[in-house]
Amino acid sequence: MSSQLSFSDMERPVTDRLFYALLPDVESAGQIVELARRLRADHHPKGALISSERLHVTLVFLGDFAGLPKGIVSSALIAGERLMGTPFEVTFDRLQKFGHGKQAVVLRGEDGAAGVNEFRRRLVEATLYQGLKPLGPAGFTAHITLMYDNGPIKQEQVAPISWTAKEFVLVRSLIGQSRYEILGRWPLQSRT
């Protein structure tokens, strides 16, 4: 099978985005939503808040596609199944903006992201082993996007929000629909 796109493939609209992610637990998601609401009240950004069910830490971005790419999904599911890991703590304690123009307002951390960074490194290796090509910027900063806005918001420290990552997921984002589907879910298990 050819890996080249035909002219008709290039004309099809992009409908699906695939990525691996960590999801905050219910309590932490509630704290993140409350922080975003306080941010809105204090700074009056215009962007819509990300809903609690869409809050996540992107670990590895696999791409945007015209339709669900079954071969890539299959390889991504195998990579997820083969990766073993133990639970780790995630702590985010600062607000920051990323990007240009309409920027992402994000919650991130420094020391509290060490476990995320190490797990992501291993996940990138697993995806490469399955023939997948992780995409995105060369640098990785673990974060959760709260909203997109072009107003002024300065980097600031906030009360830490922490949870124990006990699983990772493969997410299908239906572009333009603000809807996610979990295609794969793998536990991080403590060693006994």
Side-chain angles (χ1 to χ4, degrees):
M1 184 167 108
S2 172
S3 63
Q4 294 181 335
L5 293 175
S6 70
F7 184 70
S8 63
D9 288 336
M10 291 186 293
E11 291 177 350
R12 292 176 47 202
V14 173
T15 58
D16 293 82
R17 173 171 292 147
L18 294 175
F19 57 92
Y20 292 101
L22 297 174
L23 306 176
D25 60 33
V26 173
E27 181 181 342
S28 297
Q31 292 173 348
I32 294 166
V33 167
E34 183 56 35
L35 173 66
R37 287 181 180 144
R38 284 195 313 267
L39 176 71
R40 177 177 290 281
D42 293 347
H43 298 282
H44 309 290
K46 306 276 189 264
L49 301 178
I50 303 293
S51 63
S52 63
E53 61 273 0
R54 290 181 52 229
L55 293 172
H56 67 277
V57 178
T58 300
L59 295 169
V60 177
F61 175 60
L62 297 174
D64 290 338
F65 306 94
L68 188 63
K70 291 184 177 22
I72 291 173
V73 170
S74 178
S75 294
L77 291 170
I78 292 168
E81 188 68 34
R82 291 187 173 169
L83 182 61
M84 304 299 283
T86 58
F88 54 89
E89 290 301 309
V90 179
T91 301
F92 292 137
D93 61 1
R94 69 189 66 205
L95 291 170
Q96 183 176 340
K97 288 185 87 171
F98 285 172
H100 304 287
K102 194 168 192 179
Q103 299 172 322
V105 178
V106 303
L107 179 63
R108 61 176 290 246
E110 291 294 328
D111 297 336
V116 177
N117 294 332
E118 174 56 23
F119 184 76
R120 179 187 182 275
R121 183 192 63 74
R122 294 179 52 237
L123 182 56
V124 166
E125 289 173 0
T127 58
L128 289 170
Y129 185 78
Q130 289 303 315
L132 298 170
K133 293 183 180 180
L135 303 172
F140 173 75
T141 301
H143 67 278
I144 292 180
T145 301
L146 305 177
M147 71 183 78
Y148 292 91
D149 191 75
N150 54 11
I153 294 176
K154 296 177 186 164
Q155 179 171 314
E156 64 180 87
Q157 292 286 130
V158 295
I161 297 175
S162 300
W163 75 92
T164 301
K166 296 180 181 174
E167 68 177 6
F168 69 105
V169 296
L170 176 63
V171 178
R172 174 190 188 192
S173 172
L174 294 136
I175 295 174
Q177 297 182 34
S178 299
R179 191 164 60 93
Y180 291 167
E181 291 178 6
I182 304 298
L183 301 178
R185 183 182 300 268
W186 301 277
L188 299 171
Q189 300 177 354
S190 298
R191 295 185 180 134
T192 54

